[in-house]
Amino acid sequence: MVDALHAWWEQQLELCGGGIGSHLLSAGANERLARLGIASPREGCWPDAGQWLAQAWQIESRDTLIDAMLWLAAQGERQRWDIDAAELKAMTVARRRQWEQETPVDDAPFAALLPGWVATGEPLEWAAWDWLRLAELAWAGACGGYLSDTEADHFAAHAAELLQIRYAGWSEMLSAYLRGFSLFNGVDCRAECPGEATENPWRDANTWQERLVALSEPAIREASRTALRAYRSTPQHWLQAIAGIREPELMLRQREPLAPVPEARRMEAARYLEDVLDMHADEGAEVLARYWLPAEAHHLNQMAADAAHGIHVPSQTVFGRPSREALVQRGWLKQAGRHAATIHMAEKFAFYWQTAMDSRLFDEGSLLTQGEALKSCLCHFYATPTRLLEAWLAWERCLPEPEQASLTSDIAWHLKDPGSVFHWLDWHPGEWREPAERPSLRHFTAMALVGPLNSAAWSQPQPESAREREAIRGWVEGHYQLLGADELRSFIDYMLEAGDRQEYQINYAPYTLNRERLDAEIAILQTGESEAEERNHLLRLERVRDNEDDCNELDMAAWDIAQTVDLAIAGRELGWLEPAQLARILERAYALAEKHYAGWQAYAEGMYAGFSFFMGETDERESFLAGLRHALVAWRCGAPVLAGAWASLDFPGSKPRHFAPLHIDTLPGDRRTLH
């Protein structure tokens, strides 16, 4: 196969007068060509191949040659051209002109031609430019001594297979090559070679297929596929492919993802980890586990399953309603109901993993263990690369990030391009593993009782680094005056057994039965100066008098439960609680919520009433209350989708009301899941 393509290509170059390409394909050609009755136009090898590689490609070693060939196969020039062409097609004429003005031709020669081709309806196809150059490098590598004949055949056969997938005939392939050649140079060369030259003996489409099938010996093609997958066989390649969606430059490192990076890249990665992710070398590689968020995936899967069945959580609460934009985003979820959501958070994990690896600040062995676990997990959730990319594309469309460039164009490109690295990875799940532990559904529900008092807990709490523990300890001491594990556990027991709700019952509820006494007490406290504690007592008496935020009518146990869960999670992060101790506290909080409330709305009202009633003296009271109302709306309505988890969880003790997702990507303990 590859030798016949070589013979044809040399013939085309002669018809075009030369100057467009050079020597192509396998070095071990003559014997098979003779057997097939095809005369090779080149007897012998390419004596100055090494010099040509150095001058034309800056390739002076076997490793850089293989890097270039893998890049041409999986990405090449075509990815940017494809994506830009698709975006130009969707633009208005005015926006297209703006794009031309903003894209410097010096840096992107293709910008001189691409908008015009889009406007005139030119076929936007040029992958042959990458794949024929891949074959050319294989030939040159063999002639220059960098590759064995067998290795060259593997790469050349890979190029030929991709060409056969994409093109229906020789002339179609040649036209695509000339478009790519033109875009690369910024000069239109499409007319330099007749795509339907009468001298072309394989012009007919049927002949194209017959020749390729005849020359595509099963053993050769299978050996080529095996060899190409062997270059991307490790979990590191797997994670690099995922991270490469956000950072396409990673595709230049397919041969060895763990190869040393330039110092500038290492420093850039280190700064990103510290400034953006707050990850530090002294924390160890285990800190990366904080970005493994299985409960987030469960929440998204559940929301999507409900949306697909037409079941929506409320769009209006007593605290207000979400923004129109947030409700529209929530409505998009039904489009992703068939796709497991883990890829939505796992792709960020892979990008952070690659950045941590590039920084060289963390133990490589620990990072590799996490990478292997990620591969195992995703290979179980997604049976094929196509399934993973389809899921990723669906969730990216549903949950665009306002501050980040959309990845939809890049994901869609990888889904369609047969050379994309995703289609050439080792896709074997192996033993089930994950980068970090999954909480059970019951414990995730219990952790969600913290509500908007803190950010949503999407993973199992783990002891934090010394730096993080210092900040958490400062919060625990500053807000609750708790100085150690014993004090924390005692206070949690108090909150679960009595808490602020008991203080209200003892010190304030009796005043609701005697208005005259309440007014007298307020009048006394309003005269003269008073200490902070007395002023807070006065404020609470006034709230009882005015029944502010229904404090005299609502059960405020939710305020105690939310604080308890918040403290329990902090205690685990400080290392003051062991996993079993945290689990027992969560079970008690779960049971207490079940006892006091019938659902999330009543729980939210109780939390708000408690927050309002027990707030100390502050000029920022109204802004604090407004912020909590806004957050409660988001948690209750699931809009924005990732604000919190109440919309996807059954309240403790409630009958299940959610639809089961159509896949296994859920938390353990979800008995409704279809297996």
Side-chain angles (χ1 to χ4, degrees):
M1 171 183 181
V2 295
D3 305 318
L5 188 54
H6 172 204
W8 170 82
W9 186 249
E10 290 288 354
Q11 185 179 48
Q12 291 299 321
L13 295 179
E14 291 175 7
L15 292 173
C16 297
I20 293 180
S22 56
H23 315 272
L24 287 174
L25 303 176
S26 171
N30 295 338
E31 181 179 348
R32 287 202 301 277
L33 286 172
R35 186 171 69 247
L36 292 164
I38 303 170
S40 172
R42 185 172 303 280
E43 301 293 341
C45 65
W46 182 357
D48 59 348
Q51 181 181 356
W52 178 81
L53 285 169
Q55 291 176 349
W57 286 86
Q58 292 76 55
I59 290 173
E60 297 182 343
S61 70
R62 169 185 168 84
D63 288 346
T64 54
L65 172 63
I66 294 176
D67 284 339
M69 290 192 296
L70 291 173
W71 175 75
L72 285 170
Q75 181 187 52
E77 310 284 356
R78 68 190 184 281
Q79 184 187 39
R80 182 177 181 185
W81 298 343
D82 287 344
I83 292 174
D84 281 355
E87 292 176 351
L88 283 166
K89 286 183 67 176
M91 291 179 187
T92 63
V93 174
R95 178 67 187 91
R96 196 177 297 164
R97 288 173 181 166
Q98 182 182 357
W99 182 92
E100 293 181 60
Q101 295 171 355
E102 295 175 350
T103 306
V105 175
D106 291 343
D107 297 333
F110 66 90
L113 301 174
L114 193 56
W117 289 2
V118 170
T120 58
E122 174 73 11
L124 304 177
E125 170 52 53
W126 33 67
W129 169 248
D130 288 330
W131 294 332
L132 282 170
R133 289 188 301 157
L134 166 61
E136 183 175 41
L137 287 186
W139 170 254
C143 293
Y146 292 134
L147 301 174
S148 68
D149 286 359
T150 299
E151 290 173 322
D153 278 344
H154 288 159
F155 278 106
H158 183 57
E161 179 176 2
L162 296 176
L163 290 164
Q164 183 184 11
I165 292 171
R166 182 62 62 89
Y167 302 108
W170 297 104
S171 61
E172 184 180 328
M173 181 185 72
L174 177 60
S175 297
Y177 175 87
L178 289 171
R179 289 189 208 100
F181 179 81
S182 301
L183 291 175
F184 182 77
N185 291 283
V187 178
D188 193 346
C189 303
R190 290 174 294 166
E192 290 193 19
C193 193
E196 292 293 339
T198 56
E199 295 89 342
N200 183 355
W202 300 334
R203 180 182 56 198
D204 182 78
N206 291 331
T207 303
W208 156 272
Q209 293 296 340
E210 291 170 2
R211 289 288 183 177
L212 288 183
V213 170
L215 297 176
S216 300
E217 300 174 10
I220 294 175
R221 176 159 291 189
E222 193 56 40
S224 171
R225 292 173 176 174
T226 300
L228 266 294
R229 286 194 169 91
Y231 281 109
R232 292 108 166 203
S233 62
T234 69
Q236 300 91 273
H237 291 90
W238 219 90
L239 268 72
Q240 184 195 65
I242 297 176
I245 297 284
R246 283 190 180 271
E247 191 172 352
E249 292 79 6
L250 288 172
M251 290 299 98
L252 294 168
R253 295 160 49 188
Q254 294 177 65
R255 178 184 53 81
E256 182 48 75
L258 303 184
V261 297
E263 182 63 16
R265 168 57 189 158
R266 193 196 70 77
M267 293 296 295
E268 179 186 2
R271 284 194 297 270
Y272 180 87
L273 294 175
E274 184 169 337
D275 297 344
V276 178
L277 301 184
D278 199 25
M279 285 176 56
H280 303 270
D282 59 350
E283 297 176 306
E286 293 72 21
V287 71
L288 193 63
R290 73 164 67 130
Y291 299 104
W292 183 248
L293 310 174
E296 177 188 285
H298 178 98
H299 168 71
L300 292 175
N301 286 323
Q302 189 62 73
M303 291 284 287
D306 289 343
H309 287 87
I311 304 300
H312 292 291
V313 288
S315 297
Q316 177 76 45
T317 76
V318 296
F319 304 110
R321 63 180 289 115
S323 68
R324 179 181 178 277
E325 293 77 12
L327 290 173
V328 168
Q329 182 196 60
R330 190 183 70 180
W332 291 341
L333 292 181
K334 62 183 178 182
Q335 304 173 28
R338 297 176 58 252
H339 302 287
T342 285
I343 185 59
H344 178 74
M345 61 92 178
E347 68 91 2
K348 297 181 182 64
F349 184 92
F351 179 76
Y352 301 154
W353 180 94
Q354 185 68 55
T355 305
M357 190 66 77
D358 286 351
S359 75
R360 298 297 189 264
L361 294 176
F362 301 92
D363 177 65
E364 185 176 296
S366 298
L367 288 175
L368 290 177
T369 298
Q370 291 178 325
E372 291 167 357
L374 177 63
K375 174 192 172 183
S376 168
C377 177
L378 293 185
C379 282
H380 276 93
F381 286 148
Y382 308 99
T384 65
T386 298
R387 292 286 295 276
L388 181 141
L389 290 167
E390 288 174 344
W392 193 351
L393 183 59
W395 283 106
E396 183 69 16
R397 286 170 173 164
C398 289
L399 299 173
E401 298 182 57
E403 298 178 359
Q404 298 285 340
S406 174
L407 301 179
T408 54
S409 296
D410 301 86
I411 299 167
W413 183 88
H414 282 277
L415 189 59
K416 296 176 181 178
D417 191 273
S420 164
V421 66
F422 281 91
H423 304 299
W424 299 91
L425 292 171
D426 174 43
W427 210 270
H428 296 97
E431 181 183 357
W432 179 278
R433 300 171 61 191
E434 290 191 56
E437 182 182 358
R438 289 188 166 228
S440 69
L441 181 59
R442 185 180 178 90
H443 284 178
F444 176 42
T445 305
M447 288 190 293
L449 292 168
V450 72
L453 291 192
N454 209 329
S455 56
W458 299 117
S459 59
Q460 192 78 357
Q462 299 292 335
E464 291 284 352
S465 66
R467 182 180 288 97
E468 290 295 320
R469 287 200 301 270
E470 190 63 31
I472 297 169
R473 186 182 295 108
W475 172 76
V476 171
E477 292 179 3
H479 283 74
Y480 294 96
Q481 291 76 54
L482 302 174
L483 302 178
D486 291 340
E487 291 186 11
L488 175 74
R489 289 192 292 269
S490 297
F491 186 72
I492 285 176
D493 287 339
Y494 162 76
M495 292 292 285
L496 290 171
E497 294 168 3
D500 289 339
R501 64 190 183 279
Q502 186 181 73
E503 181 180 352
Y504 172 84
Q505 292 297 330
I506 293 174
N507 296 322
Y508 299 101
Y511 285 109
T512 62
L513 304 176
N514 191 332
R515 180 59 183 263
E516 291 182 1
R517 183 185 170 193
L518 174 60
D519 291 340
E521 185 74 14
I522 291 173
I524 293 172
L525 290 172
Q526 286 176 336
T527 60
E529 296 293 329
S530 58
E531 299 295 330
E533 186 174 342
E534 291 180 337
R535 290 198 301 272
N536 282 328
H537 180 56
L538 171 61
L539 289 172
R540 291 171 185 172
L541 289 173
E542 291 173 342
R543 291 165 192 164
V544 170
R545 179 195 63 196
D546 301 333
N547 192 25
E548 189 169 347
D549 296 319
D550 296 326
C551 62
N552 300 328
E553 301 171 12
L554 293 173
D555 183 346
M556 292 187 284
W559 172 240
D560 292 330
I561 297 170
Q563 291 182 91
T564 298
V565 174
D566 200 16
L567 281 169
I569 293 173
R572 178 62 186 139
E573 292 171 339
L574 287 169
W576 291 357
L577 295 176
E578 295 299 321
Q581 294 173 312
L582 173 64
R584 286 194 292 270
I585 293 170
L586 292 177
E587 286 291 341
R588 293 174 66 189
Y590 187 100
L592 191 60
E594 180 180 356
K595 177 181 178 181
H596 281 260
Y597 300 99
W600 290 115
Q601 183 60 45
Y603 183 83
E605 293 172 14
M607 180 189 296
Y608 183 81
F611 179 81
S612 171
F613 184 81
F614 289 103
M615 186 186 298
E617 185 179 34
T618 174
D619 294 334
E620 299 177 283
R621 173 178 174 81
E622 290 307 316
S623 65
F624 288 158
L625 289 174
L628 182 60
R629 287 195 300 271
H630 180 78
L632 287 169
V633 169
W635 276 68
R636 183 73 185 95
C637 298
V641 175
L642 290 175
W646 290 354
S648 67
L649 294 171
D650 294 313
F651 190 78
S654 300
K655 293 181 179 180
R657 68 172 185 84
H658 296 283
F659 281 88
L662 299 177
H663 41 71
I664 63 169
D665 187 6
T666 55
L667 294 180
D670 185 355
R671 290 169 293 182
R672 297 168 292 103
T673 301
L674 300 179
H675 292 278

